[in-house]
Amino acid sequence: MSESKLKCGVAGVGYLGQHHARIYNELENVELAGIFETNPERAAEISEKFGCPVFASIKELGEVCDAVSIVVPTDKHHEVALPLLECGCHLLIEKPICQSLEEAADILEKAKAANLLVQVGHIEHFNPVMSFLEEAVSAPKFITADRLAPFQPRGTEVGVTLDLMIHDIGIVLQLVKSPVKLVQSVGVSALSPTEDIANARIEFENGCVANLNTSRVSSKKLREIRVFQPSGYLSLDFMNQAGHVVKIDGGEMKTSEVPIEKGEPLKLELASFVESVNERKQPKVGGELGKTALELAITITKQIRERAAM
């Protein structure tokens, strides 16, 4: 392997982590330096598939890597991140950054002190749909987002707000660019101990209102957003990377399809992370945005649970 290649590792190679390993193995300027996985059978499978070593501890993985993806359950993010930072590794931490603001602040503080980058895995920010939205959305007045998914046990260590809605929270914060004024939330549990269905109405200081609907007990998958602004109405599908724009022209509504060049969001995300590390520049989705999204998600979760306890 060339010394110029960035040595990247993956902590946790389950359903999502295996794709981090695959993409690091595919990127031309990266060496997949190794993995850490608590399930020995899974570790052996991924090691054989990509020809990379398995390390017995997080510290040993950190000692051979320049950068590491943390793709373990959310409640383990903090304990996995700290030894990697001590080893001098830049981190890509899957969303949400942590399960508490205190843990998130601790990671960001230690990373800053060590001059290390932290990117948070808000993958939709690297979806080509988001690239279009960032250019097309200038003065949003009302936003609705729907994110539905069939139930699966993976991810239920947190409620649906931290599991799925946090994607749309991150998207809306990025598009609106205004402090939050008011949050009103409702939700119910169905198949897990925590909320599986959630709705949040978020009012921003600039007057924009966002209505987020999320469910992980749906019969179908859906990831759609609609943005209303004075210049027109945008309807985008994150899953199929398609959509249309409606504008008023001469008193008539005119619809045009959005020209989106499709791509694999995770590959775009990891390539961007590698570029940030190589060029020592702030990631597109840095730790602060991840922490702000977490703060709002925790507020929504608390409101839902307080209401359920009444």
Side-chain angles (χ1 to χ4, degrees):
M1 286 286 181
S2 168
E3 286 301 313
S4 65
K5 290 197 172 189
L6 193 73
K7 291 179 169 61
C8 294
V10 183
V13 287
Y15 173 78
L16 182 56
Q18 65 178 326
H19 294 296
H20 281 250
R22 168 180 62 82
I23 291 166
Y24 282 140
N25 196 49
E26 291 172 354
L27 292 173
E28 286 184 11
N29 55 342
V30 169
E31 175 189 343
L32 177 59
I35 60 170
F36 170 81
E37 170 57 52
T38 55
N39 180 325
E41 291 81 13
R42 181 64 168 179
E45 177 192 345
I46 299 300
S47 170
E48 184 179 350
K49 189 171 185 178
F50 300 119
C52 64
V54 178
F55 291 93
S57 71
I58 292 294
K59 187 172 184 296
E60 288 175 65
L61 175 66
E63 285 171 348
V64 302
C65 290
D66 302 310
V68 175
S69 284
I70 296 178
V71 203
V72 299
T74 304
D75 53 2
K76 300 287 191 291
H77 283 184
H78 183 254
E79 68 178 77
V80 170
L82 295 191
L84 290 171
L85 289 172
E86 286 172 9
C87 289
C89 295
H90 302 280
L91 302 180
L92 190 155
I93 306 175
E94 267 302 337
K95 61 81 203 161
I97 182 172
C98 284
Q99 64 177 358
S100 75
L101 290 171
E102 292 76 19
E103 288 181 347
D106 188 37
I107 288 174
L108 297 183
E109 187 180 303
K110 286 181 168 62
K112 186 177 181 182
N115 199 26
L116 295 168
L117 299 179
V118 174
Q119 179 169 318
V120 185
H122 284 263
I123 191 171
E124 296 288 36
H125 284 68
F126 297 89
N127 191 311
V129 165
M130 187 64 177
S131 300
F132 173 80
L133 283 169
E134 286 174 327
E135 287 187 15
V137 174
S138 55
K141 298 300 181 187
F142 185 67
I143 300 173
T144 64
D146 296 288
R147 187 169 296 264
L148 313 179
F151 183 77
Q152 51 188 356
R154 179 176 57 85
T156 53
E157 74 273 3
V158 294
V160 73
T161 307
L162 283 165
D163 182 22
L164 297 180
M165 186 186 281
I166 196 159
H167 283 297
D168 296 312
I169 291 171
I171 290 166
V172 166
L173 287 172
Q174 182 72 5
L175 294 177
V176 178
K177 294 183 175 68
S178 175
V180 173
K181 180 180 178 182
L182 179 69
V183 182
Q184 296 170 299
S185 319
V186 292
V188 295
S189 62
L191 296 176
S192 75
T194 54
E195 71 278 2
D196 296 308
I197 301 167
N199 170 267
R201 182 185 184 276
I202 305 164
E203 187 176 332
F204 293 89
E205 294 283 357
N206 66 2
C208 182
V209 172
N211 190 42
L212 311 183
N213 294 301
T214 313
S215 169
R216 61 182 178 194
V217 289
S218 174
S219 59
K220 63 179 180 178
K221 290 182 77 172
L222 183 74
R223 299 187 344 236
E224 293 183 351
I225 188 169
R226 288 163 294 286
V227 182
F228 298 83
Q229 58 184 10
S231 62
Y233 154 62
L234 302 90
S235 177
L236 281 298
D237 181 338
F238 277 90
M239 190 165 65
N240 296 305
Q241 297 182 9
H244 60 269
V245 175
V246 178
K247 293 188 176 181
I248 305 299
D249 186 3
E252 294 183 3
M253 290 176 64
K254 294 195 174 178
T255 303
S256 58
E257 295 301 309
V258 174
I260 292 174
E261 186 177 337
K262 296 187 178 185
E264 182 184 0
L266 185 60
K267 191 162 192 174
L268 296 169
E269 178 181 53
L270 295 188
S272 177
F273 173 56
V274 167
E275 182 182 306
S276 294
V277 171
N278 281 331
E279 298 182 8
R280 293 297 190 274
K281 66 179 184 181
Q282 279 304 306
K284 181 178 180 185
V285 184
E288 285 303 325
L289 190 146
K291 183 166 170 278
T292 305
L294 174 65
E295 186 173 10
L296 186 48
I298 287 174
T299 298
I300 291 165
T301 301
K302 282 182 177 175
Q303 286 186 359
I304 289 170
R305 292 179 185 177
E306 285 168 4
R307 195 180 183 97
M310 285 180 175

